[in-house]
Amino acid sequence: MDVKLQWEATSKRVITREEWERKLNDVKTRKEDMNKLVMNFLVTEGYVEAAEKFRMESGTEPDIDIATITDRMAVKKAVQCGNVEDAIEKVNDLNPEILDTNPQLFFHLQQQRLIELIRNGKVEEALEFAQEELAPRGEENQSFLEELEKTVALLAFEDVSNCPVGELLDISQRLKTASEVNAAILTSQSHEKDPKLPSLLKMLIWAQNQLDEKAAYPRINDLSTATLEDPAV
Amino acid sequence: MPTSASASAPAPPSASQATARHHSELLSRLSSPDAQVQVKALRDLKNRIIGNRTKKLSFIKLGLVPAVADILASAADAGADRDSNLLIQSAAVVGSFACGFDAGVLAVLDAGVFPSLVRLLSHPDEKVVDSGARSLRMIYQSKLAPKYDFLEQKSMEFLLSLLNSENENVTGLGASIIMHSCETVEEQNALSQAGVLKKLIGLLEGSLNQRDASLESLATIIKNNVEAVSMFVGSESGRALSSVVALTKDRYPRTRLLASTCLIVIRNTSPCYLQDIGIKTKLVHLLLELHDDLGQVGDESSFALSSLIAEKEDMQKIALEANAIDKLYNHLKKAVLNSKRVEGILLAMADLCSKLESCRSKFFSLKALNLVIDALTHDSSSVRAAACICLRSIFRSIKSLCAGDFMDEIIMIPLVRLLHDRCTSVQLAALSAIGNIVVDFSKRRSIFIQCGGLQQLVQLSKSMDSDLTVNALGALRNLVFLADYTCKESIFGELTASLLASLVCDSEPSVQEQALALLRNLVDGCMDSIEFVFAEDGIILDAIGRQLQSAFKAEIGIQGMYVLCNVASGNEFHKEAVMDQLVPQVDNGTQSFVIQFLQSSDSQLRTAVVWTIVNLTFPSIPGAFGRVAKLRNAGIVSQMKNMVNDPCLEVKLRVRTALGQFMTFGDGST
């Protein structure tokens, strides 16, 4: 084992910074492609103003109608602020098919609505809502029923911040629901639900890991600055 | 300490009470003269029903759909200058009612919304068009949607106008209409010749949703149509096919599934395409991997796998090598599965185990049988039927029948219970499984009879549904196959001679055939069992004779002749009775059916007749001489002389045996 590792270590090729930068310079990337990636990120993540500005400055056309981003962001924001009913109505105005054909998303939005009612201490309203809106969905689907039971359990605790299902009241739950709606709206608009940039970064990390086994080279360790770090020889 | 919040809360009103309260208030707002009030009421209604099947149903029952349909119709009449919002909202409500269940589609169609929605497609406001197209698409998800006849030019023009639209919802609607309406080869040809195929190939380059819709309707147009497949494969010098192949690697599981379904359709229609081992293996792996999807794609992937491997041994082998049985079993083991998923996996298992012993032994080694047996008592009738189909396939070989031996009672009790399932398809599937399980195993037979299976089968053989009768008779036929006399006796006692005679004379030829085949197995073997056809003054034998006189289907002739052939192997009395059927006493100038059968083009029928005659004329038996004379008088001997060089080897050999037997009595023809 030791012998093998040693052999691997000694057999690795070392690529110097100059050599690496020269190779990098040989790779031609079109500026328009880079711009498209940036635009794709802005549009998917919903940065309307930035996308609009970027379009004017770079001349890159977004692959989706910018007006629809505003609507999508309004929905996302409503969920993030806890105005779930408002968000549902907005989605239904945008495209009534989304919630009608996506029972899981619909359930999660209704569950979020219940969570907000409980958060605001509206116990009676919460119970009525759970019974009328959520219980029938639980009957249709076993996993919904389990989630519903977990949510209703919030009512049983005086100190919700310290109960086993307390994480439902966390702000992260709202963000989770919001991003689920966001993705569904994008899919309904024939748009990919994730921006391309993060998956490119994942590919970069994967490629570096593959290369690590064969060579020592200037690696990018800090993705936010993308600085090349000298190989440790 | 947790406190109980629900104890102090007053009981909330029940859901239906709340709905009814909303209903009357909504109805008055919907019929308001003020369009703004109407729009608001429609929007409220829409937000209440979307995603909520319970509410949709209660609002339908309360009669809200016609009110909405009226608004839609009058707003559509008012033309483009009217407020678009009223159209958008009413179309959306209608679409939501139609989404996801047939009761909704029915209510919507009954209210007459279809023409109004179609009119919205040519509205100048794009949002109105979107709304109309979406709602029509919802309707087209259901079998109840109206069909377009593509052989009519007007329908074709309408469809092409949809597919040529810039609006994604409208092209999607076009694709849905194709999937729903295109059924016959003529329609497929009309569509491909009118340029629809070309248009759909173009849409493969479109948006994500257009790609999926195009793949699905392409499969509809080329399915089982060799001409359309070769037109597709040859399109754009093969580029169309390559792009479908490329889409099997797409990021989206749904697209991958649809692309592979399309390739499977091509392969199954024209086996000359997609034969290289690489693509075959890739499809199997892809479909297995798609089972991991938790939604609809995962549910449908088993059905696609089935169509890829059904009836194809090479594909089943590839699937076995790809660990398909292990993988499907692991999915089936999961506790929370919807019924569609369970059904699909069971059917795929059935196809996998339908031919290869290696697949069946893998199945047994995993102890997968227990899961299939559990599924026999599943809530869903489709799952119960699928479990039966799976059992039938697993027990197709003697080897696996032995492997499942220890399971006898555990399988038999629920299976017999399924014979009186409320759903005919389950009964049929159970019958076919029983047919394979009871064959040739005395221990299993007696367990089956102990479980009350025999009475059930006899009951079903009297069913009004001829499919059920045929299958019940088929199972009974296997039950008596090579059974011992006591077993046959109890079966015959349950069936009775009069029932058998009336089944032989049933109006349905397939029932006649199965009844005769059952009798053939019943009288096969010992001399005592031949007596069965003589019960009640020989009504069975007479019925057989009558059927053979008028038989116009070779299959009925074959089974009937084999009954007589088995009877003719009995004693002198038996042989004479058969003679009476073959050569009627009263000579009214009609030719015996035996001559007709001997001249038949069906070699199996000729074989059956010649065998019977061989049995009747064994020279060592005293009455044989008289029978040969009768046969000669009826012209049967001379007919047989013409057959010494019959193209069928077996007929030829048996004819020579018979002629040899005739010779021992001297050839009276000279």
Side-chain angles (χ1 to χ4, degrees):
Chain A
M1 197 67 182
D2 282 340
V3 180
K4 191 170 170 248
L5 276 176
Q6 233 168 19
W7 181 82
E8 272 185 4
T10 51
S11 72
K12 265 191 193 174
R13 207 185 132 192
V14 179
I15 304 169
T16 62
R17 179 182 277 267
E18 294 76 43
E19 201 183 340
W20 190 247
E21 282 180 344
R22 206 170 46 243
K23 279 180 189 293
L24 285 180
N25 283 336
D26 286 346
V27 181
K28 295 273 173 272
T29 319
R30 294 195 318 154
K31 186 144 178 90
E32 298 84 67
D33 288 341
M34 299 295 272
N35 285 345
K36 271 192 192 161
L37 274 174
V38 173
M39 183 54 103
N40 170 276
F41 178 78
L42 295 176
V43 162
T44 315
E45 293 294 315
Y47 299 110
V48 191
E49 283 166 34
E52 190 59 49
K53 263 224 159 79
F54 188 65
R55 184 175 73 105
M56 292 199 299
E57 285 175 10
S58 69
T60 312
E61 281 304 319
D63 49 0
I64 199 168
D65 181 4
I66 285 196
T68 65
I69 309 177
T70 317
D71 295 334
R72 177 160 52 90
M73 284 307 109
V75 174
K76 201 173 162 184
K77 206 165 171 191
V79 179
Q80 283 167 348
C81 304
N83 301 326
V84 189
E85 193 176 358
D86 184 38
I88 291 177
E89 288 178 9
K90 284 193 161 79
V91 179
N92 289 344
D93 281 339
L94 211 53
N95 179 349
E97 223 176 302
I98 297 174
L99 296 183
D100 240 344
T101 53
N102 200 335
Q104 179 156 331
L105 171 64
F106 182 64
F107 176 82
H108 285 154
L109 280 170
Q110 298 285 62
Q111 181 193 25
Q112 191 67 46
R113 231 173 122 179
L114 178 62
I115 293 170
E116 301 306 337
L117 288 172
I118 296 172
R119 190 198 314 278
N120 297 330
K122 297 179 177 166
V123 176
E124 276 174 40
E125 217 179 310
L127 279 172
E128 189 178 346
F129 181 74
Q131 191 180 352
E132 192 177 334
E133 295 288 340
L134 286 162
R137 306 290 83 74
E139 279 169 31
E140 288 159 12
N141 185 314
Q142 178 67 29
S143 63
F144 292 171
L145 188 64
E146 283 161 23
E147 285 188 65
L148 174 59
E149 282 167 357
K150 246 171 70 179
T151 316
V152 176
L154 283 173
L155 286 170
F157 294 92
E158 244 170 331
D159 177 15
V160 280
S161 60
N162 215 357
C163 81
V165 287
E167 85 271 2
L168 287 174
L169 287 170
D170 208 78
I171 210 72
S172 66
Q173 181 70 21
R174 280 185 184 173
L175 297 181
K176 213 171 99 185
T177 313
S179 90
E180 205 183 332
V181 192
N182 187 49
I185 299 175
L186 280 168
T187 306
S188 79
Q189 292 166 343
S190 258
H191 196 279
E192 293 182 359
K193 55 180 192 280
D194 304 307
K196 292 187 202 298
L197 267 174
S199 41
L200 277 177
L201 290 181
K202 280 187 201 159
M203 273 156 79
L204 171 71
I205 293 168
W206 179 83
Q208 288 196 138
N209 289 342
Q210 294 286 307
L211 192 56
D212 281 344
E213 291 173 14
K214 295 183 183 118
Y217 59 94
R219 218 174 177 280
I220 296 177
N221 289 328
D222 183 354
L223 289 174
S224 59
T225 57
T227 41
L228 295 176
E229 286 170 34
D230 284 327
V233 189
Chain B
M1 174 165 167
T3 55
S4 166
S6 59
S8 59
S14 78
S16 62
Q17 273 174 336
T19 315
R21 198 182 59 220
H22 290 316
H23 159 255
S24 54
E25 167 253 356
L26 254 176
L27 202 59
S28 65
R29 280 162 62 207
L30 285 175
S31 43
S32 158
D34 182 349
Q36 289 313 310
V37 176
Q38 282 183 311
V39 167
K40 193 153 180 318
L42 286 168
R43 201 166 163 261
D44 280 354
L45 177 56
K46 178 184 77 176
N47 287 326
R48 272 185 212 162
I49 60 172
I50 283 182
N52 193 330
R53 184 177 294 205
T54 340
K55 279 204 182 141
K56 283 181 196 176
L57 257 178
S58 41
F59 280 131
I60 289 171
K61 281 189 192 138
L62 292 166
L64 269 181
V65 177
V68 178
D70 285 348
I71 300 179
L72 177 62
S74 58
D77 281 339
D81 41 308
R82 190 70 185 268
D83 182 12
S84 297
N85 236 335
L86 209 52
L87 287 171
I88 295 171
Q89 297 299 339
S90 55
V93 170
V94 162
S96 180
F97 272 123
C99 175
F101 67 146
D102 281 349
V105 177
L106 199 63
V108 161
L109 289 174
D110 281 349
V113 299
F114 193 78
S116 316
L117 287 175
V118 172
R119 279 165 65 193
L120 300 191
L121 298 178
S122 43
H123 198 277
D125 184 341
E126 203 61 17
K127 285 202 164 133
V128 175
V129 178
D130 275 333
S131 195
R134 277 193 197 116
S135 299
L136 283 168
R137 251 184 26 221
M138 289 296 177
I139 294 174
Y140 272 96
Q141 302 293 312
S142 158
K143 287 193 183 73
L144 301 171
K147 283 208 174 5
Y148 277 94
D149 178 3
F150 297 127
L151 302 178
E152 273 176 27
Q153 195 173 348
K154 252 177 76 184
S155 301
M156 188 66 89
E157 278 165 10
F158 174 66
L159 177 68
L160 283 169
S161 75
L162 297 181
L163 293 176
N164 284 324
S165 164
E166 296 284 315
N167 184 313
E168 196 179 295
N169 285 312
V170 177
T171 47
L173 171 64
S176 300
I177 291 179
I178 294 175
M179 286 177 250
H180 176 75
S181 301
C182 175
E183 283 175 335
T184 65
V185 177
E186 289 77 29
E187 286 167 325
Q188 289 175 326
N189 290 341
L191 288 171
S192 25
Q193 274 147 27
V196 171
L197 203 58
K198 193 159 174 259
K199 187 70 216 166
L200 290 174
I201 292 169
L203 287 177
L204 287 176
E205 315 287 321
S207 72
L208 299 178
N209 294 342
Q210 282 174 328
R211 257 174 16 187
D212 287 0
S214 158
L215 283 170
E216 226 174 332
S217 31
L218 271 175
T220 312
I221 297 184
I222 61 179
K223 190 171 189 175
N224 297 330
N225 185 329
V226 180
E227 219 174 301
V229 164
S230 67
M231 192 167 168
F232 172 75
V233 173
S235 296
E236 300 174 17
S237 51
R239 272 209 307 280
L241 181 61
S242 325
S243 46
V244 176
V245 173
L247 286 174
T248 59
K249 296 178 213 132
D250 194 78
R251 283 175 61 182
Y252 289 89
R254 172 131 204 99
T255 309
R256 292 204 293 277
L257 175 68
L258 293 173
S260 54
T261 309
C262 206
L263 295 181
I264 293 169
V265 164
I266 294 173
R267 229 186 86 86
N268 289 351
T269 307
S270 300
C272 56
Y273 298 118
L274 305 168
Q275 272 307 326
D276 74 285
I277 185 82
I279 189 109
K280 289 201 256 187
T281 317
K282 219 176 70 184
L283 281 174
V284 169
H285 282 281
L286 169 61
L287 291 173
L288 287 172
E289 168 206 306
L290 286 172
H291 276 79
D292 293 332
D293 181 283
L294 297 173
Q296 221 185 342
V297 171
D299 298 347
E300 286 170 21
S301 54
S302 327
F303 293 90
L305 181 64
S306 273
S307 62
L308 178 64
I309 61 172
E311 303 294 322
K312 289 184 280 287
E313 233 177 88
D314 60 328
M315 291 310 302
Q316 291 163 15
K317 199 149 167 273
I318 292 174
L320 177 70
E321 282 158 9
N323 285 330
I325 298 184
D326 301 70
K327 285 180 183 160
L328 292 179
Y329 170 68
N330 286 333
H331 282 292
L332 199 57
K333 258 193 330 199
K334 287 176 195 152
V336 198
L337 285 183
N338 67 52
S339 54
K340 176 102 178 166
R341 174 77 63 120
V342 181
E343 181 197 355
I345 294 178
L346 287 170
L347 291 176
M349 279 277 201
D351 280 317
L352 267 168
C353 296
S354 63
K355 285 190 190 289
L356 297 173
E357 206 57 61
S358 48
C359 288
R360 296 191 192 109
S361 61
K362 180 83 207 172
F363 175 89
F364 280 108
S365 73
L366 290 169
K367 307 220 182 330
L369 188 57
N370 290 313
L371 292 178
V372 181
I373 294 172
D374 287 346
L376 288 173
T377 49
H378 198 277
D379 286 342
S380 147
S381 60
S382 328
V383 172
R384 294 196 299 274
C388 293
I389 292 167
C390 192
L391 285 179
R392 178 186 63 183
S393 167
I394 292 157
F395 289 119
R396 205 167 254 177
S397 75
I398 299 292
K399 203 174 155 204
S400 51
L401 279 170
C402 298
D405 205 24
F406 57 97
M407 303 295 286
D408 273 345
E409 276 160 70
I410 312 173
I411 300 176
M412 216 59 101
I413 294 169
L415 257 185
V416 169
R417 205 163 289 153
L418 291 184
L419 288 177
H420 40 111
D421 197 276
R422 63 198 143 76
C423 184
T424 317
S425 60
V426 178
Q427 289 179 302
L428 283 172
L431 280 170
S432 68
I434 285 170
N436 275 0
I437 294 176
V438 296
V439 74
D440 200 22
F441 269 85
S442 54
K443 181 177 154 231
R444 198 164 269 145
R445 268 187 193 128
S446 54
I447 292 175
F448 177 74
I449 294 172
Q450 278 162 25
C451 296
L454 178 58
Q455 282 96 329
Q456 278 307 320
L457 287 184
V458 172
Q459 213 50 45
L460 286 176
S461 66
K462 299 176 199 163
S463 165
M464 298 287 280
D465 181 329
S466 63
D467 279 343
L468 277 178
T469 310
V470 166
N471 282 278
L473 289 172
L476 283 164
R477 168 190 176 181
N478 285 347
L479 193 63
V480 297
F481 179 66
L482 297 183
D484 60 34
Y485 180 70
T486 9
C487 181
K488 280 181 181 174
E489 202 180 19
S490 59
I491 294 170
F492 184 74
E494 200 68 48
L495 275 165
T496 73
S498 46
L499 173 64
L500 281 166
S502 72
L503 288 169
V504 166
C505 300
D506 195 273
S507 58
E508 198 60 50
S510 52
V511 174
Q512 297 167 15
E513 186 189 341
Q514 282 299 332
L516 289 168
L518 161 61
L519 283 164
R520 171 184 171 182
N521 284 352
L522 190 71
V523 297
D524 182 32
C526 70
M527 195 77 84
D528 288 337
S529 49
I530 294 179
E531 291 291 337
F532 291 132
V533 290
F534 291 92
E536 295 185 35
D537 295 327
I539 50 167
I540 295 178
L541 204 58
D542 288 340
I544 295 172
R546 273 202 306 281
Q547 256 342 300
L548 289 175
Q549 291 285 358
S550 55
F552 57 92
K553 268 183 76 184
E555 289 76 17
I556 292 169
I558 294 167
Q559 298 300 343
M561 278 318 296
Y562 273 118
V563 182
L564 295 186
C565 180
N566 286 345
V567 177
S569 70
N571 60 30
E572 190 58 28
F573 172 73
H574 299 149
K575 287 183 203 295
E576 277 305 317
V578 172
M579 269 316 281
D580 290 345
Q581 298 300 335
L582 296 190
V583 187
Q585 304 280 337
V586 197
D587 190 0
N588 52 5
T590 50
Q591 199 188 34
S592 164
F593 61 85
V594 177
I595 304 270
Q596 242 176 294
F597 285 180
L598 286 172
Q599 290 168 349
S600 156
S601 59
D602 191 310
S603 64
Q604 283 192 61
L605 180 55
R606 298 199 303 274
T607 311
V609 178
V610 178
W611 260 119
T612 311
I613 291 175
V614 168
N615 280 351
L616 287 172
T617 55
F618 278 134
S620 55
I621 296 166
F625 180 75
R627 285 193 289 276
V628 171
K630 275 189 197 160
L631 291 170
R632 186 173 292 129
N633 289 340
I636 294 169
V637 171
S638 57
Q639 169 62 36
M640 284 178 72
K641 280 186 178 162
N642 296 333
M643 295 166 70
V644 281
N645 287 317
D646 195 279
C648 168
L649 184 65
E650 171 148 32
V651 175
K652 186 167 130 181
L653 288 174
R654 294 313 144 213
V655 163
R656 288 174 186 219
T657 313
L659 291 177
Q661 292 179 175
F662 299 160
M663 291 287 278
T664 58
F665 301 108
D667 193 340
S669 65
T670 46

